[in-house]
Amino acid sequence: MNRKAARIISVILFAVLFLASCGEKANYRNDLTVKEVMDKIEATVPLADGYYSVDSDYFDYYFEGADALVDSYEIRIANASTNINQFGVFKVKAGQAEAMKTLCQAYISLKMERWVLQADYIAAEHPKMENAEVRVFGNYVVYTMLTKEDKAAVFKAVEELLKQ
């Protein structure tokens, strides 16, 4: 009985240690500019018609209060009105990543509500809206509205760029 109990305890201890090591947070660099991260994303998902960067009025309207959370940001949207590709990068102040992630999620929800209400939206673009996602990479918060494949490629590229 003691051997059996010892084995069970050993297995449980191994499992706990294994899971703890898997749950370690990655270390991300903090020395890149938002433009450098954004350029990497755009190079990963280029468009023939390109992208434009939104102005500060757009940022202030859709991300109210974010100016207190971020050091710098950039949001790019597809130039073609028939393409809803969009992504944003926010370099946040220390400890503000989760708050900015919440603002990005609220923004995506608002855009989704408006998208669904549009009677003339382009149905082929709908999966991009459904695949919209926000991720945190240290002090960088990144959101995307892209196809499933493009989103995976973008997050992989950002991870590789920022991981130490």
Side-chain angles (χ1 to χ4, degrees):
M1 188 79 156
N2 285 341
R3 282 186 168 177
K4 190 173 185 180
R7 284 185 199 167
I8 291 172
I9 291 172
S10 295
V11 169
I12 291 172
L13 182 58
F14 176 78
V16 168
L17 291 174
F18 177 76
L19 291 174
S21 69
C22 290
E24 290 179 17
K25 288 190 173 185
N27 288 323
Y28 295 101
R29 54 193 301 182
N30 193 36
D31 61 335
L32 296 179
T33 65
V34 165
K35 184 179 181 333
E36 289 170 307
V37 177
M38 186 58 79
D39 288 347
K40 180 69 171 178
I41 293 172
E42 191 169 336
T44 304
V45 287
L47 291 176
D49 293 332
Y51 296 90
Y52 69 91
S53 293
V54 303
D55 61 19
S56 60
D57 289 339
Y58 187 96
F59 175 72
D60 292 340
Y61 180 78
Y62 285 109
F63 297 90
E64 187 175 347
D67 53 344
L69 307 175
V70 301
D71 286 327
S72 56
Y73 71 91
E74 191 163 345
I75 298 168
R76 291 189 187 164
I77 300 174
N79 279 323
S81 62
T82 56
N83 188 326
I84 68 163
N85 277 18
Q86 182 177 144
F87 36 85
V89 176
F90 306 88
K91 187 172 183 182
V92 298
K93 297 174 183 172
Q96 300 301 324
E98 287 303 315
M100 191 63 219
K101 180 179 179 182
T102 299
L103 286 178
C104 288
Q105 289 168 328
Y107 170 72
I108 289 171
S109 293
L110 177 65
K111 289 301 219 175
M112 177 62 108
E113 286 174 27
R114 290 181 178 174
W115 178 259
V116 170
L117 293 175
Q118 292 176 346
D120 60 347
Y121 74 86
I122 304 161
E125 293 292 291
H126 190 71
K128 294 177 183 181
M129 192 62 72
E130 289 178 333
N131 288 311
E133 186 178 343
V134 184
R135 291 195 190 171
V136 175
F137 302 90
N139 285 338
Y140 298 88
V141 178
V142 178
Y143 80 84
T144 65
M145 290 181 195
L146 301 165
T147 65
K148 187 176 183 179
E149 297 77 19
D150 285 350
K151 175 181 75 170
V154 163
F155 285 139
K156 181 181 179 190
V158 171
E159 177 86 19
E160 289 172 355
L161 181 66
L162 296 176
K163 197 165 185 181
Q164 288 184 335

